[in-house]
Amino acid sequence: MKTIVWTVDDLPNLSTSYPHIAQAANILRENEVVAFPTETVYGLGANAFSDEAVRKIFEAKGRPSDNPLIVHIASQDQLDEFVEDIPEYAEELIKNFWPGPLTLVLQKKGDRLSDLVTAGLDTVGVRMPDHPIALALLKEANVPVAAPSANRSGKPSPTQASHVYYDLQGRISGIIDGGATGVGVESTVIDCTTKIPTILRPGGVTKEQMEAIVGEVSVDQALVEEGHAPKSPGMKYTHYAPNAPVIVVDGSHHFIQQQIDQFEKEGKKVGVITTEEAKNDFRATKVLSCGNRANLQTVAAQLYDVLRQFDQEDVDLIISESFPQAGVGAAIMNRLLKAAGNQVIVEK
Ligand code: AMP
Ligand code: MG
């Protein structure tokens, strides 16, 4: 299959009649899959009402079939087609954070959604992305679109069209290239089927932001302590992993350098993930900055790109600085620890 790449560079003038958007929407309606930018990461979309279409997502990504997909919509009216029993706090979250990087897990209604989307669960994750291309495409396609991140399963999520092309070229019908995504980590997933909303995956909307709107917000135990099965099926899989193993080191620059030196002495070529503030402090085979520690949004935006850049470098091991868990730091650390398979060295 030849993968078409459509470049959309005049975002301010975007309309649904833009020929590339119309063509991609047609392909979605024909039950084929296309990748498109959202404000979080690039998504790989398919008609959520069609088994045939959704199956192609799992095939292209090599994604385990028990990991449900998030359904993307362009207008709130579409919710009525496939969810029911929306609690009041969920309405508040929608009012405040849609369009945006927040996925609500709600009670599924009827049987229009493909069972492959929900992996057989009676709930469904839904969000409205805050990106002009995604919204125009969804509106034009006029069906809810199931879309996981547009990477091969297990690899870091794509934040640029070139990442999607690298992973999925020849396996999908097309990619809409809308430049780099903004947020850089995926949406927050929040279970809205419980009395108190529960974060299943930290992401672009923070716990603190939601608490300011709806009061108490809890966090799935599996995110807090090891040994609990996650309520979000996807959270149990290895994810975001570059080719070289990653170790997160939590400590002073001096301590981090000691670890680097130790590994290099053993003959390992070490790559380092650091920040603008510290990039000149480390000596290693390759040092890459993923943003400013003083502004963690910049780290979220670049983290996956830096993880992917290390696949082009000759390193045996990647050591990453650790980040504070507050705000978007919760999502950054969640992804980094997954990339590291929970390998952490802490300075005593
Ligand atoms: P991705 O599409 O790769 O960003 O991953 C979507 C995430 O949302 C995965 O962690 C899924 O397990 C989770 N998710 C999607 N639908 C549900 C649902 N109905 N219940 C719980 N988690 C869900
Ligand atoms: Mg993903």
Side-chain angles (χ1 to χ4, degrees):
M1 175 189 307
K2 186 168 173 355
T3 301
I4 312 168
V5 180
W6 300 279
T7 305
V8 175
D9 44 22
D10 53 352
L11 291 190
N13 299 316
L14 199 67
S15 79
T16 51
S17 58
Y18 196 97
H20 297 164
I21 304 279
Q23 202 183 344
N26 263 335
I27 292 177
L28 284 177
R29 278 195 301 265
E30 285 163 6
N31 295 337
E32 296 296 332
V33 295
V34 293
F36 59 96
T38 77
E39 81 283 28
T40 58
V41 302
Y42 274 76
L44 181 62
N47 176 358
F49 287 153
S50 160
D51 284 342
E52 177 202 354
V54 175
R55 189 171 295 118
K56 289 175 185 165
I57 291 180
F58 286 91
E59 283 167 6
K61 286 189 54 121
R63 182 176 173 109
S65 60
D66 68 344
N67 190 359
L69 307 179
I70 293 169
V71 176
H72 292 67
I73 56 175
S75 104
Q76 222 177 301
D77 304 339
Q78 286 178 284
L79 273 181
D80 222 29
E81 297 175 27
F82 60 91
V83 303
E84 60 190 359
D85 298 337
I86 304 176
E88 214 175 294
Y89 69 73
E91 301 273 7
E92 286 298 312
L93 291 173
I94 287 172
K95 215 187 296 164
N96 282 275
F97 298 108
W98 278 10
L102 182 66
T103 295
L104 274 59
V105 172
L106 297 164
Q107 201 59 47
K108 184 180 97 163
K109 176 171 97 178
D111 56 7
R112 288 194 71 190
L113 280 182
S114 163
D115 280 340
L116 299 172
V117 170
T118 54
L121 299 174
D122 56 8
T123 57
V124 56
V126 198
R127 88 172 186 107
M128 188 188 294
D130 187 13
H131 191 290
I133 293 177
L135 288 171
L137 176 69
L138 293 168
K139 206 162 150 203
E140 184 75 1
N142 201 26
V143 285
V145 170
S149 50
N151 51 282
R152 288 299 292 255
S153 203
K155 301 307 289 179
S157 301
T159 52
Q160 298 174 24
S162 60
H163 300 159
V164 182
Y165 194 76
Y166 184 86
D167 276 17
L168 298 177
Q169 162 206 2
R171 306 177 71 89
I172 62 176
S173 296
I175 303 169
I176 307 179
D177 182 350
T181 60
V183 178
V185 289
E186 298 83 346
S187 60
T188 304
V189 178
I190 188 154
D191 186 356
C192 296
T193 64
T194 45
K195 193 157 170 278
I196 294 166
T198 308
I199 295 175
L200 306 184
R201 173 177 78 179
V205 172
T206 66
K207 180 170 187 272
E208 294 85 345
Q209 285 174 303
M210 290 188 284
E211 279 173 339
I213 305 295
V214 295
E216 192 183 354
V217 170
S218 61
V219 176
D220 186 13
Q221 262 318 97
L223 292 175
V224 184
E225 273 177 79
E226 271 183 59
H228 290 264
K231 284 178 74 184
S232 183
M235 296 297 283
K236 66 177 180 286
Y237 290 108
T238 317
H239 227 134
Y240 320 115
N243 295 333
V246 178
I247 301 176
V248 176
V249 180
D250 185 359
S252 63
H253 292 178
H254 177 70
F255 181 76
I256 296 173
Q257 186 64 49
Q258 279 180 334
Q259 310 310 306
I260 298 167
D261 291 345
Q262 184 62 37
F263 284 117
E264 295 239 330
K265 213 158 74 192
E266 290 167 13
K268 296 209 166 78
K269 296 196 193 81
V270 179
V272 177
I273 299 180
T274 180
T275 51
E276 287 303 305
E277 289 91 335
K279 67 180 182 194
N280 297 322
D281 293 359
F282 297 118
R283 292 173 316 281
T285 299
K286 185 79 193 176
V287 178
L288 290 176
S289 160
C290 62
N292 295 293
R293 178 169 287 273
N295 178 1
L296 289 182
Q297 309 279 358
T298 63
V299 173
Q302 294 173 70
L303 180 64
Y304 291 143
D305 184 47
V306 167
L307 287 169
R308 280 177 176 267
Q309 280 183 48
F310 274 116
D311 283 351
Q312 312 302 324
E313 299 289 338
D314 183 22
V315 293
D316 303 310
L317 174 76
I318 301 164
I319 283 188
S320 175
E321 284 186 37
S322 178
F323 293 91
Q325 293 268 4
V328 76
I332 292 169
M333 282 308 288
N334 173 264
R335 307 309 192 268
L336 255 184
L337 290 172
K338 284 191 149 282
N342 279 321
Q343 280 209 78
V344 188
I345 301 174
V346 184
E347 185 173 15
K348 297 267 180 334

